[in-house]
Amino acid sequence: MMHRLFISLCVFFVSFVGLTATAQEAEEYRVEFKTNVGSFTVKLYNDTPLHRDNFLGLVREGAFNNLLFHRVIKNFMVQAGGEMRGDKEGARLELLKSRHSEMIPAEFRYPQYFHKRGALAAARQSDDVNPEKASDPMEFYIVVGEYFLEKELGRFETEERGKMPEEVKQAYMTEGGTPHLDSEYTVFGELVEGYKVIDKIQNRETDADNRPHKEVYIISAKILN
């Protein structure tokens, strides 16, 4: 009797540990960014582990602090990681990028993850020098996008992407996004808080190079869980 009870307890303990581990593995990291125009929070997908771990490492290092939103295009996206505040010669940023110079292999998960409004994605070099579409280790963008009619979405159905699923169509019609970027740039997370802050950034006046006239920069970033 005691032997059977011992075995039952062992099975229960192993099952409990397994369930706990699974729950921990399933938890998605969240990162809060404080900027000079407000705060926003993103969550990182576990299904894109290379991008997730790289991003978390940069946050822990403080690498995003003082980085500018250097490229802002209304109704398209806001991008950071290519310029640093008060670094006109680019020396400090170059030093930082020298420590994070390895490109990240693409982790496309379309149609599970796509360029809906609020999508967090990695910037990259163009196809002519980067045919494998590997991601820049530091530069990221958050999608603002625009709304589409159903009849307009057909042109984004390519041989690579296949037919656009209904739930993806509905998101592009009701939430907006940038469907032409799907399977071209890796989406590895999404905005969960702070849409108004992203709208503030995208509405900044910019110059011919899409750089805001008034600086928008990251004060700090921290992992919340």
Side-chain angles (χ1 to χ4, degrees), residues 1-12:
M1 178 69 178
M2 288 297 294
H3 182 66
R4 288 199 300 272
L5 178 60
F6 176 75
I7 292 174
S8 298
L9 287 172
C10 287
V11 171
F12 173 79

Side-chain angles (χ1 to χ4, degrees), residues 24-31 41-56 104 107-122 141-143 168 171-172 175 182 185-193 195 225:
Q24 288 174 341
E25 289 170 1
E27 185 179 13
E28 292 174 313
Y29 285 95
R30 297 191 176 213
V31 177
T41 301
V42 298
K43 71 176 180 180
L44 309 179
Y45 300 142
N46 288 328
D47 291 343
T48 51
L50 300 178
H51 286 73
R52 176 200 63 198
D53 293 349
N54 173 75
F55 203 77
L56 291 172
I104 307 170
E107 294 182 291
F108 300 144
R109 298 290 183 266
Y110 181 83
Q112 183 178 4
Y113 305 135
F114 54 98
H115 281 78
K116 64 183 179 180
R117 172 176 164 81
L120 171 68
Y141 61 90
I142 296 173
V143 173
V168 176
Y172 282 135
E175 299 174 40
D182 289 334
Y185 296 78
T186 296
V187 175
F188 64 97
E190 65 182 78
L191 191 70
V192 292
E193 289 182 23
Y195 279 95
N225 54 324

Side-chain angles (χ1 to χ4, degrees), residues 18 28 41 73 106 111 124 159-160 173 199 209:
E28 292 174 313
T41 301
I73 303 176
R124 65 174 178 83
E159 184 177 345
E160 183 180 14
M173 289 189 290
D199 280 339
D209 295 320

Side-chain angles (χ1 to χ4, degrees), residues 150 153 157 163-173:
E150 185 171 11
L153 293 172
E157 295 178 337
K163 186 174 177 61
M164 188 178 289
E166 283 303 314
E167 60 269 23
V168 176
K169 285 184 180 179
Q170 287 300 315
Y172 282 135
M173 289 189 290

